Amino acid sequence: MKCQVCGENEASIHYIEIVEGQKTSQWVCASCAEKEGITPLEVSPLVHGNLGSFLGEMLKNPLVGRAREKNPPTLVCDTCGYDYNKLQENSQLGCPACYQAFRRQLLPMLRRYHGGVSHLGKLPKSLGPTAALRRETTRLKELLAQAIAAENYEEAARIRDSIRDLESQAEQTASASESTTAKPTETTDREPGSGGGGDEE
Amino acid sequence: MSFPEIARCDISWLDGSGPAAEIVISSRVRLARNLRGHRFSHHAGTSELDSILKDVVPRVADRDAFQDGWQLAMQECTPRQRQCLLEKHLISPYLVRDHQHSGVVISADLSKVVMVNEEDHLRTQIFQSGHNPVSACQATLALDNQLEEVIEFAFHEDFGYLTACPTNVGTGFRISTLIHLPGLVLASEIEKVLNSLRQLHFTVRGLYGEGSAVRGALFQISNLSIPAVRTA
């Protein structure tokens, strides 16, 4: 496809502009894009497959940079003493508790890299059977808020019912596990203290 | 079993028995896990690393998946033995370089590996022949469940399984296929394909993973972002 600005070069960038809900799109070539000040989104070391430099790039991102300036220069993890500056240098954290200590700084990077900050995958068994129900309830509550905001009340009512079902299931599971804990069976051979799990902060 | 047996042992996933094995040599799933309450490997002191190694290796080796397998401390291996393990994809270049406080547990058929004190405390790898990512994922989840019975991993309800590098946090999964594409290389079409893959958030590496060169038209293609694998 030819560039829709100069009509000569081959277009390589699809420029989409949304102003007050009105979407317009245009195919442009690299040189016209440069003249118009259009910079492609998400062109980062990610697409070149270099994870280390990608993370470093993200942590130097202006948004993150602004957040960093607001923090004291000696931001450290209370648990392991790891310095936030080291994270920027070597793209690694010091201990599991660093995720909580540097949470605010990490969130923008995690959101961009993973597309979200809510874990949807496997849960350790040590968290107990209610953890999955709790997570699903949280997810449905977000969907409920979205449905209400979109004035989709039929969908909202359906989600509300699902939330009620899950909450009642969670209560039943919790009371069942309490009675199991009172009378240990052959399945309760875990180490002492492992039941709580999942709380690194 | 002793080290010479590992050197002689055939690698089961190289037998060409899997789906599309004429193109895809192997499917590999890697899991990153860390112990709760310990500093990550690069930040931990030597005594902490030794204590993790001493504690974790026997627990892993005791699992069903590693019956009749091997447990090796990297420090006790000669440089040539470490090189042999690397070439058989049983350890990573990280363990060759930082071998003083690390170890590996290997299954009898060389298809399951747990590296201890790699970038993360545990790096589990499962290989299967051909294009078999779903089956490899299922086998990895099953092994992870076995490990969770005896090891408590660092986990956060919002972030998932916590890893030294935030790019791995979540499920800690990386799924790779080792694929042989000589036709595309000879026809000079390979760059187009690789660029498309990169735009789809896959990464392309050489035969020995991150930092290794592509040789013999063998490409290791992996996911970049971490998939949220649901447990049934």
Side-chain angles (χ1 to χ4, degrees):
Chain A
M1 179 184 280
K2 293 285 178 201
C3 171
Q4 291 176 310
V5 176
C6 65
E8 290 174 9
N9 301 330
E10 203 62 27
S12 58
I13 294 168
H14 190 200
Y15 177 63
I16 300 171
E17 192 174 57
I18 300 171
V19 181
E20 293 176 355
Q22 292 297 310
K23 181 176 162 186
T24 53
S25 74
Q26 209 173 21
W27 281 93
V28 294
C29 66
S31 86
C32 289
E34 198 181 337
K35 282 180 206 157
E36 299 285 328
I38 298 166
T39 38
L41 284 172
E42 303 295 335
V43 174
S44 69
L46 174 66
V47 294
H48 303 294
N50 186 339
L51 295 183
S53 65
F54 174 63
L55 179 60
E57 195 67 24
M58 280 190 169
L59 292 166
K60 286 174 199 154
N61 172 292
L63 280 175
V64 184
R66 279 203 293 278
R68 195 168 67 236
E69 282 162 20
K70 289 178 191 167
N71 291 306
T74 52
L75 186 62
V76 291
C77 169
D78 289 341
T79 306
C80 72
Y82 199 69
D83 192 320
Y84 177 68
N85 291 326
K86 283 190 193 166
L87 169 63
Q88 292 175 294
E89 284 165 22
N90 65 14
S91 306
Q92 289 189 323
L93 292 153
C95 76
C98 287
Y99 277 90
Q100 197 57 37
F102 307 137
R103 184 188 178 97
R104 200 159 64 90
Q105 289 73 24
L106 284 169
L107 284 179
M109 187 281 287
L110 292 174
R111 205 168 275 127
R112 282 181 62 193
Y113 190 81
H114 295 299
V117 288
S118 298
H119 177 62
L120 298 174
K122 184 175 185 282
L123 293 168
K125 281 186 184 162
S126 60
L127 283 185
T130 55
L133 293 172
R134 202 164 53 239
R135 187 169 66 182
E136 185 61 8
T137 308
T138 309
R139 191 184 70 84
L140 285 180
K141 281 181 178 171
E142 285 169 14
L143 289 180
L144 178 63
Q146 286 171 18
I148 292 170
E151 298 184 5
N152 187 350
Y153 298 116
E154 206 171 303
E155 177 69 3
R158 197 186 58 76
I159 297 170
R160 180 204 58 203
D161 293 345
S162 302
I163 292 172
R164 282 182 186 160
D165 287 349
L166 282 177
E167 284 174 342
S168 96
Q169 269 185 55
E171 276 174 28
Q172 284 170 14
T173 313
S175 57
S177 70
E178 268 173 32
S179 59
T180 312
T181 315
K183 291 178 188 175
T185 64
E186 71 281 3
T187 58
T188 55
D189 59 351
R190 291 203 152 275
E191 287 176 15
S194 66
D199 181 12
E200 290 306 323
E201 55 272 26
Chain B
M1 286 199 230
S2 62
F3 195 90
E5 284 180 71
I6 299 181
R8 281 197 299 269
C9 196
D10 287 336
I11 298 172
S12 63
W13 51 269
L14 271 179
D15 65 4
S17 62
E22 68 279 12
I23 301 167
V24 182
I25 292 167
S26 65
S27 302
R28 164 189 171 262
V29 175
R30 177 274 271 161
L31 265 188
R33 294 284 184 264
N34 287 280
L35 304 193
R36 188 180 176 199
H38 284 276
R39 287 176 291 180
F40 294 133
S41 301
H42 75 102
H43 188 45
T46 55
S47 61
E48 188 173 5
L49 290 173
D50 285 338
S51 139
I52 291 169
L53 188 66
K54 204 173 160 187
D55 179 46
V56 167
V57 167
R59 285 175 192 248
V60 174
D62 194 40
R63 301 283 84 195
D64 290 346
F66 296 103
Q67 293 303 310
D68 303 320
W70 294 267
Q71 44 178 306
L72 302 166
M74 285 299 100
Q75 197 172 15
E76 290 167 13
C77 296
T78 63
R80 182 172 291 186
Q81 287 172 337
R82 285 193 288 269
Q83 187 62 26
C84 170
L85 293 170
L86 176 71
E87 288 177 10
K88 284 178 174 278
H89 289 257
L90 297 170
I91 62 170
S92 63
Y94 189 107
L95 255 68
V96 174
R97 196 177 60 242
D98 294 352
H99 57 264
Q100 290 189 323
H101 309 281
S102 56
V104 65
V105 183
I106 304 165
S107 70
D109 66 353
L110 311 189
S111 73
K112 302 181 186 77
V113 174
V114 175
M115 288 178 268
V116 180
N117 290 339
E118 218 252 18
E119 178 181 305
D120 296 293
H121 295 143
L122 278 87
R123 282 284 179 104
T124 301
Q125 290 189 152
I126 286 201
F127 293 88
Q128 291 196 353
S129 173
H131 183 61
N132 229 344
V134 175
S135 165
C137 279
Q138 287 165 344
T140 310
L141 278 173
L143 177 55
D144 192 45
N145 289 338
Q146 280 190 27
L147 296 176
E148 266 185 344
E149 288 172 11
V150 290
I151 301 167
E152 194 173 356
F153 294 133
F155 183 85
H156 189 287
E157 282 203 34
D158 291 341
F159 299 123
Y161 288 92
L162 304 177
T163 52
C165 180
T167 54
N168 292 320
V169 74
T171 59
F173 263 75
R174 190 168 302 286
I175 305 169
S176 315
T177 51
L178 185 60
I179 187 163
H180 191 216
L181 301 170
L184 286 171
V185 172
L186 289 171
S188 305
E189 294 290 323
I190 192 69
E191 267 312 309
K192 285 182 200 166
V193 176
L194 298 185
N195 284 335
S196 304
L197 282 169
R198 286 170 186 138
Q199 282 168 20
L200 292 168
H201 273 218
F202 289 95
T203 182
V204 182
R205 295 165 171 153
L207 181 59
Y208 291 101
E210 195 163 0
S212 66
V214 174
R215 291 207 170 94
L218 288 165
F219 299 87
Q220 193 187 88
I221 299 169
S222 322
N223 60 297
L224 258 182
S225 50
I226 304 296
V229 179
R230 286 184 183 277
T231 47

